[in-house]
Every structure is written in structure tokens, then in C-alpha cells.
Amino acid sequence: MHRRLIAPGAIAASLLLAIPASAADFTPGAPGIGDPYYPASGNGGYDVAHYDLRLKYQPSTDLLEGTATILATPTQNLSRFNLDLGLRALEVRVNGRKASFTTSGAQELEITPAVPLPKDRPVSVVVRYAGKPSEVRIDGWTAWHRTPDGGVAAQQPESAVWWFPSNDHPLDKATFDVSVAVPDGTQAISNGVLQSQSSRLGWTRYNWRSDKPQATYLATLAVGRFDVTTDTTANGLPVVNAYSKDLGANAGAARASVERTVEVAEWLEEVFGPYPFNALGGYVPNVRSGYALETQTRPFYSPRQFANGSNVSVVVHELAHQWYGDSVSVRNWRDIWINEGFARYSQWLWSEREGEGTAQELADWVYASRPADDPFWKVRPGDPGAENQFHTAVYDRGALALQALRNELGDPVFFRVLKGWPTERAYGNAEVADFVAYAEQVSGKRLGGLFDTWLYQPSKPEAPPAPAAGSGTAGKAGAAAAAPVREAPAAPSSPPRSWSKIAATNTIHDHGDHGHEGHGHEGHGHR
């Protein structure tokens, strides 16, 4: 071994460079990340790169024990910082040294490291914690589903605080390793690829990895007894689908829908470009909820989604989010349209593909079925407000905006925009204004008036989206068939054939305890 001698003076000089001159330069990180809808969500002062979660869960008691290792980089000189956690912290270490900590509010874990943290110097934070997630209530609600054989974490806009400490906002995305020990005979499902599985002394440990940036609310955990199907796509991606063994009458319809995941994803690649992640799949646990959620690589579906038979449209919606919402995530929750408007429009495009009604026909129906005095038109999808963040208008009026854009640009340019955007913003965050600017850049057209009409005016537009002379519309997604000019068409007398399946998926927005028109979508405006 070769050792290089360093003079004492050089060591002293390097230490002086490493330690800022004044402790006054260090200040606490903000207790919120700055979201205008949810000021307390997330935290300021640092950026997380990776979560390593090592968990043990006992279904019979709902006891979750965990050790979270968080790799982050301060974005300022930090004297103190917060994590979001609803369970009880037992010990915190920062860069290997014990740190003092306290709690405030419903979920703030305030950590004071033994030594202040300089800006831009990577740090490790280890939190040991434990508790029963089903006993955690934040503002009266929970993201944890207790099931007959385990538990599930899946909610929006927040779910992480019920099972791991984090910077809980989509603006701070990170990669994940999730290792979960559960009693033998029980499975643990999470995001990404199952790296390994082993059993010892009555416990089985499952090790999952998501190697692309992931928002904390898109991390999921499901523990229970599942029937698991596995496969590999033509491109070599592993596919994992899981179904609770006690789905009863909904079991067949759930499988008939979710087992088409690969087919739907391959079609969506034609529309949106290459699939952005390292795995595919979905899971249907035995929960009493009615909603679905785009948990990254492995969407969550409530059994009630399939109570009336198979419905591939909900699979289309949640898989479309893998591009629009998961890879490209909101900057703030007011930007929800760049998630939900596109996922709903994907259902309209699937209807075209299946020959059950074109997107134009669906747009005509939505427009005609809502009179001008319907409160639906008061909601502005481009900035709906926290109370209307998951209102039906964000979905249906949001999709109308995209049909208007399609008619304005014509199919070749419109689908170039749809495919280019997820590449342009892959694994990042964006605002509605960013998409508008991108569409203008690609098309060479000024589109401010169009988006203002469909996304921001609290009133019903004078006419439905209609194709311009010679523009490409209708037909299969991406086709450029000519379409005639339309002049104030008569209201449709009946909806397209696909409408009943699309309307049935409105329950993906329904949580029973929150919502507007019965819809709250995959989460709660709870703050």
C-alpha cells in the first residue's frame, strides 16, 4: 500500500476551506417545498437522489418497522431540515452521527444534525422508525388500506408518510430500492424490478428496484396473498401482475383487463414514444376503495373498477400516466392537467383504435351533454384550485382542450407534439405553460388563445372543438385522414359506444370521503 505524506499545514488549510467561516451562514430548510395548493407539502433545503428502504411488516398486527437510508444533497447551507413521516421515528443519523430530532404538526420530522451541512456536499440520512400505518390519520384521512391479509399504500397527492420518511412532493424525485420482509406465504409487491427473493426463519424478503426518478406518491407497497403472473415484453422488460386471492366475483374481469397491460403499453409507445421505465405490470388488492392510481411501473387498481365486467379503458388511463404524470411530473399540483387531461385523452384515442367512437365524437358528446350553466364549465383545468384538483372537468374538459389542439394542428403535427413532449421532459417536472410553449415551438403557431379558451376561462366555449378545412382528424391515432369542415353540428343524440366504459372509469376519481360530483380522483385536496 502506498501512502502519501501530507504536511500538517496543508491539512489545516484544507479544513479551513471545508468549514464555512460563520455558523450564521447556516439556516433551516423550509418546512414546505413551495406548492401553492399545499404549502406544507415536501420540504426545502435539499434534493434527494435515492431512497433505500429496508422494511419488516407483520400483517396480523399491522406493525411496520423500517430503516430508511436517504441520499441527498443540500441546496443551501443547512442547520436543520425536515422530512415527512407519519410513523414514529426511533433514531436518526446524519453522515453516520446521531442527530437530534423532534416532530411538529401531523407529519413533520425536524432533524438537527450534529454538524451543519454545507451546500452541494452529499449527505446520508438514516431513519429508524416503526408504527401501525392504519392508525395514522392526517387531516382525517389515510393513504393506507388495511386488507384481510395485509396492507397497501397507494394514494394521491400523498402516500409516502404512511410507510417511509421522505421529501413528499413530486418536485423531488429519486430512485428507489425497497426491501420488505413478510411472513412466509405472504408476498410484498412494490415498484420496478424484483431483484431477489429469499426466505429465512419464517420470513420471506422481497427486494424491488426502481432505477428511474420516481415521485414519492408513486412509490407503492402491497402486502398480502396474491396470485402473480410474470412475463417479459418483446423488448425484454419484466412484467409482474398481482391479484389478491379473494377478489371474488371481480377476479375474472380484473385479470381480463390487467393482463392486457403489455398490449396497451405497446400501443401507447406508438402514440407517446418509448416506454420510460424498467418494468411493467399492475396489481389488484382486496381493498374497499373504488379508485385507481398510476403507481410507477405497477399501477394500483381497486376491485370495484371491474365490478361491471372487464374495462381496459382504466388500464389505458393508468398506463398513459407512465409517460404523462410519472416520467413527466407536475411542478406544482396546480399543473395537474398535464397528467389527467392526457390520460383521459388516451382513453379517447383507445376508443378510436377499437372502432368504438372517435375522439371527435367523444368531444362532441362531452360538449353537448354539459349545458352552459353546468358548474363543470366553471372549473379551469389549467389551474383548478386545490378544491377542484381532481374534478371531472380536469379530465373531460382537459381532453376537450387536446381535441381542440389536434384540430388546430392536424394529426401529423399533433402526434409529433404528443410523442416529443415525454422525450423533451423525460424524468423531470413541468408546468402547463411549459407544454403550451413546447406545442408552439413544434407547430410554429401561436396557441395562447386556444389554451386560454379551453383551460382557463370559467365558461363554456361558444362551439365544440372542430377540425379546420383539410386537417387530419378522426380515424386511428396518428393517421392523417382528411376531414370536412364542420359548422355548428347538431348535438349528438347518443354517446359513442365507448362512452359507458370511459364513464365507468370516473370512479378512479372517487374516494367516497372526498370529491366533487362524486369525483376526487386518485387523492385528496386535504390541506
Side-chain angles (χ1 to χ4, degrees), residues 387 390-391 509-521 523-524:
E387 71 283 1
F390 301 108
H391 192 285
H509 326 313
D510 186 0
H511 294 259
D513 59 343
H514 172 274
H516 306 274
E517 302 184 30
H519 307 307
H521 189 46
H524 298 66

Side-chain angles (χ1 to χ4, degrees), residues 68 71 73 91 138 149 159 252 300 336 351 356 387 394 409 415 472 526:
L71 306 181
T73 301
E91 181 183 77
I138 296 177
D149 52 13
S159 67
F300 158 93
I336 191 65
S351 173
E356 296 185 342
E387 71 283 1
V394 175
L409 302 184
F415 285 102
H526 66 281

Side-chain angles (χ1 to χ4, degrees), residues 193-198 205-208:
V193 175
L194 181 62
Q195 300 287 103
S196 62
Q197 173 184 334
S198 59
R205 181 167 290 280
Y206 296 83
N207 299 298
W208 296 90

Side-chain angles (χ1 to χ4, degrees), residues 240-252:
V240 176
N241 296 325
Y243 310 89
S244 282
K245 292 178 178 292
D246 52 359
L247 294 179
N250 295 332

Side-chain angles (χ1 to χ4, degrees), residues 362-495:
L362 286 159
D364 290 344
W365 176 255
V366 168
Y367 182 88
S369 63
R370 298 279 188 172
D373 60 354
D374 191 316
F376 172 93
W377 298 109
K378 296 292 184 184
V379 177
R380 304 180 309 146
D383 189 0
E387 71 283 1
N388 288 321
Q389 183 184 348
F390 301 108
H391 192 285
T392 309
V394 175
Y395 299 77
D396 285 344
R397 187 176 175 182
L400 284 172
L402 288 169
Q403 184 61 25
L405 180 65
R406 181 179 180 180
N407 290 335
E408 174 67 23
L409 302 184
D411 276 12
V413 176
F414 174 73
F415 285 102
R416 196 184 314 149
V417 170
L418 286 197
K419 186 175 287 188
W421 172 256
T423 300
E424 177 85 5
R425 294 278 177 165
Y427 312 120
N429 300 79
E431 299 176 337
V432 173
D434 295 325
F435 180 83
V436 175
Y438 181 75
E440 290 183 329
Q441 172 193 329
V442 172
S443 67
K445 292 190 174 186
R446 301 186 67 171
L447 300 169
L450 182 151
F451 283 108
D452 181 66
T453 296
W454 291 100
L455 296 184
Y456 293 103
Q457 290 302 313
S459 58
K460 184 175 183 177
E462 292 183 2
S471 68
T473 61
K476 298 196 175 193
V485 178
R486 301 190 322 145
E487 296 181 2
S493 59
S494 61

Side-chain angles (χ1 to χ4, degrees), residues 208-267:
W208 296 90
R209 170 166 290 180
S210 287
D211 64 355
K212 294 293 189 292
Q214 177 174 285
T216 48
Y217 87 92
L218 297 173
T220 192
L221 174 65
V223 175
R225 291 183 171 87
F226 295 96
D227 286 330
V228 178
T229 66
T230 61
D231 202 349
T232 304
T233 69
N235 293 330
L237 292 181
V239 182
V240 176
N241 296 325
Y243 310 89
S244 282
K245 292 178 178 292
D246 52 359
L247 294 179
N250 295 332
R255 288 172 182 263
S257 305
V258 177
E259 288 299 312
R260 295 183 69 181
T261 289
V262 172
E263 174 192 353
V264 171
E266 288 178 351
W267 169 74

Side-chain angles (χ1 to χ4, degrees), residues 233-376:
T233 69
N235 293 330
L237 292 181
V239 182
V240 176
N241 296 325
Y243 310 89
S244 282
K245 292 178 178 292
D246 52 359
L247 294 179
N250 295 332
R255 288 172 182 263
S257 305
V258 177
E259 288 299 312
R260 295 183 69 181
T261 289
V262 172
E263 174 192 353
V264 171
E266 288 178 351
W267 169 74
L268 284 168
E269 285 191 307
E270 298 174 13
V271 182
F272 295 148
Y275 180 73
F277 301 122
N278 67 343
L280 267 173
Y283 73 99
V284 189
N286 186 13
V287 292
R288 294 189 299 272
S289 61
Y291 64 95
L293 181 64
E294 63 268 20
T295 39
Q296 192 159 306
T297 72
R298 194 145 294 113
F300 158 93
Y301 303 97
S302 296
R304 273 169 42 197
Q305 283 293 306
F306 312 106
N308 295 320
S310 63
N311 193 344
V312 181
S313 190
V314 69
V315 177
V316 171
H317 185 104
E318 301 309 334
L319 289 180
H321 275 312
Q322 304 305 304
W323 287 262
Y324 281 83
D326 293 12
S327 179
V328 186
S329 303
V330 297
R331 181 171 297 278
N332 292 298
W333 281 111
R334 68 184 174 195
D335 302 306
I336 191 65
W337 172 76
I338 64 173
N339 291 15
E340 302 302 348
F342 292 82
R344 174 50 55 90
Y345 194 73
S346 297
Q347 294 174 271
W348 293 11
L349 294 177
W350 179 261
S351 173
E352 287 192 0
R353 178 188 188 270
E354 296 293 280
E356 296 185 342
T358 67
Q360 185 64 63
E361 291 166 342
L362 286 159
D364 290 344
W365 176 255
V366 168
Y367 182 88
S369 63
R370 298 279 188 172
D373 60 354
D374 191 316
F376 172 93

